[in-house]
Amino acid sequence: MNRREFLNDSAAVIAAAVVGGASAAESRVARSSSLQSKGANEMTPNRLTRDNAVLLLVDHQVGLYTGIRDIDTLTLKHNIVGLTKAMLALKVPVIVTTTSENMWGPLIPELADVLRGFKTIERTTVNAWDEKRVSDAVKATGRKMLIVTGISTDVCLAFPAIAALADGFESYAVIDASGGFTQTQVDMGILRMQQAGVVPVGYSNVSVEILADNAAPEATAVYSALGMPFSSLVFGLRQYYSRG
């Protein structure tokens, strides 16, 4: 073999190796992209309404609130109470559960006051959906759009939100009405939910989506429940000018 033939053969081998490596790299990128987009592709465009939604509150307990680090606890209490009040105003069913109250304490007082008269389902399972009384209570509503909040975000919110998907529910995770013990845990919990097909939402936008019409008779109660500063200003101005 002369030098030219040797160089030609070597170039062919190197080119094949490069193409093969590129193909493998492209395959890895495609596989990674597929995993990252899986949740987004599985998300459905269905709208939340007062006729198809149900709210599941998981483990908003005094002891667990002491460990919250990703959101100010006063803000968290404001958001969860506002969300619950708005759902009640819209006549959306509310299911509430706690875990091992002898360990983590009762519901936070602010939420317990709003839910006066509601039965709390106390359980020992880590995943609330594994407690038959909880999943049966949700199923009994006949609604398939499950709105979930929980402490903590990566466990008490993520586990039931993901598990409900297998039972034919569409899950919506209320991120700012939930909380976690570190920012990393929260971030990983949200990522895991998104990859599974859970839809992340905020406490106010999910409520307003269900309200749907600002002329609805529940509008004032919903916006008052959410306690958004700009809405309070608008309602105050409307009340002032209506004195006419």
Side-chain angles (χ1 to χ4, degrees), residues 122-164:
E122 184 183 3
R123 61 180 213 289
T124 59
T125 61
V126 172
N127 186 340
W129 204 255
D130 288 342
E131 171 54 63
K132 193 171 184 299
R133 290 174 298 153
V134 174
S135 53
D136 281 353
V138 174
K139 293 173 184 177
T141 67
R143 285 131 184 269
K144 287 295 186 178
M145 310 288 268
L146 180 64
I147 303 167
V148 192
T149 80
I151 308 298
S152 64
T153 300
D154 59 317
V155 175
C156 302
L157 167 59
F159 289 0
I162 293 171

Side-chain angles (χ1 to χ4, degrees), residues 46-50 52-53 145-147 172 201 206 209-210:
N46 294 331
R47 295 173 64 176
L48 289 161
T49 73
R50 65 190 74 200
N52 65 18
M145 310 288 268
L146 180 64
I147 303 167
Y172 295 78
V201 292
V206 72
E209 180 177 348
I210 293 175

Side-chain angles (χ1 to χ4, degrees), residues 46-58 60 79-80 83-84 86-88 90-97 129 134 138 141 143-150 156-158 160-162 164-165 169-178 193 198-211:
N46 294 331
R47 295 173 64 176
L48 289 161
T49 73
R50 65 190 74 200
D51 298 316
N52 65 18
V54 54
L55 175 64
L56 175 61
L57 306 176
V58 184
H60 288 271
N79 295 352
I80 186 59
L83 172 67
T84 304
M87 293 300 104
L88 293 176
L90 292 163
K91 297 181 172 56
V92 171
V94 177
I95 311 298
V96 57
T97 180
W129 204 255
V134 174
V138 174
T141 67
R143 285 131 184 269
K144 287 295 186 178
M145 310 288 268
L146 180 64
I147 303 167
V148 192
T149 80
C156 302
L157 167 59
I162 293 171
L165 297 173
F169 288 83
E170 294 180 28
S171 294
Y172 295 78
V174 191
I175 305 304
D176 59 356
S178 304
M193 285 189 284
V198 176
V199 183
V201 292
Y203 87 104
S204 58
N205 62 27
V206 72
S207 302
V208 174
E209 180 177 348
I210 293 175
L211 173 63

Side-chain angles (χ1 to χ4, degrees), residues 90-130:
L90 292 163
K91 297 181 172 56
V92 171
V94 177
I95 311 298
V96 57
T97 180
T98 59
T99 183
S100 307
E101 291 188 15
N102 61 338
M103 180 183 298
W104 300 115
L107 281 178
I108 57 170
E110 297 87 346
L111 189 57
D113 186 56
V114 173
L115 294 171
R116 204 171 287 173
F118 279 73
K119 181 181 178 181
T120 299
I121 303 174
E122 184 183 3
R123 61 180 213 289
T124 59
T125 61
V126 172
N127 186 340
W129 204 255
D130 288 342

Side-chain angles (χ1 to χ4, degrees), residues 188-236:
M188 294 304 98
I190 294 172
L191 180 59
R192 183 177 180 184
M193 285 189 284
Q194 286 182 298
Q195 289 178 332
V198 176
V199 183
V201 292
Y203 87 104
S204 58
N205 62 27
V206 72
S207 302
V208 174
E209 180 177 348
I210 293 175
L211 173 63
D213 189 343
N214 288 321
E218 304 89 353
T220 298
V222 168
Y223 285 112
S224 296
L226 297 178
M228 296 182 291
F230 76 88
S231 66
S232 300
L233 174 62
V234 170
F235 286 125

